[in-house]
Amino acid sequence: MLDLLRNLESNAEVKGLEVDRLYLNYVSIQQSKKMRRRTYRAHGRINAYMSSPCHVELMCTEESDGVKKTDDADTKERRMLSRKKIAQLRLKNQLPVGGGVN
């Protein structure tokens, strides 16, 4: 697994990504076909010697700075209300009939 991560890092460097800002966003491991070999035993016997390989897929992306959250008082008023909460506010006459919050 460490070899795969080193390979992922070198591929990112070749593509021009900043290695310090990378994070794994997708990992997939799938079973592949078993490989058959033989192992020779005492007294002329032969046993099956099976290996269980797998396919590993790793994807990484460069971490973005993100969007900063605003600290306005308007954001609390503009939040999404559930249908139940809208119905409760309408019963208390705090919300006009015929629509939600603008």
Side-chain angles (χ1 to χ4, degrees), residues 16-47:
L17 299 174
E18 290 185 36
V19 178
D20 296 333
R21 296 179 56 152
L22 293 179
Y23 68 96
L24 285 173
N25 62 342
Y26 180 76
V27 177
S28 173
I29 301 173
Q30 296 157 352
Q31 186 177 1
S32 66
K33 185 177 177 183
K34 288 190 181 266
M35 297 174 67
R36 298 182 62 94
R37 293 188 288 177
R38 296 179 184 171
T39 182
Y40 298 96
R41 307 295 303 265
H43 306 289
R45 293 178 297 152
I46 297 174
N47 284 358

Side-chain angles (χ1 to χ4, degrees), residues 58-100:
L58 301 172
M59 290 187 189
C60 68
T61 56
E62 202 170 17
E63 189 176 43
S64 62
D65 292 334
V67 179
K68 293 184 180 180
K69 187 175 179 181
T70 59
D71 294 331
D72 295 336
D74 294 337
T75 56
K76 290 183 179 179
E77 293 177 12
R78 286 191 233 165
R79 68 174 183 236
M80 296 292 291
L81 297 176
S82 66
R83 289 183 180 187
K84 182 178 180 180
K85 190 66 176 176
I86 290 173
Q88 289 173 352
L89 291 174
R90 194 175 300 130
L91 286 174
K92 292 181 182 179
N93 294 327
Q94 294 180 357
L95 193 66
V97 176

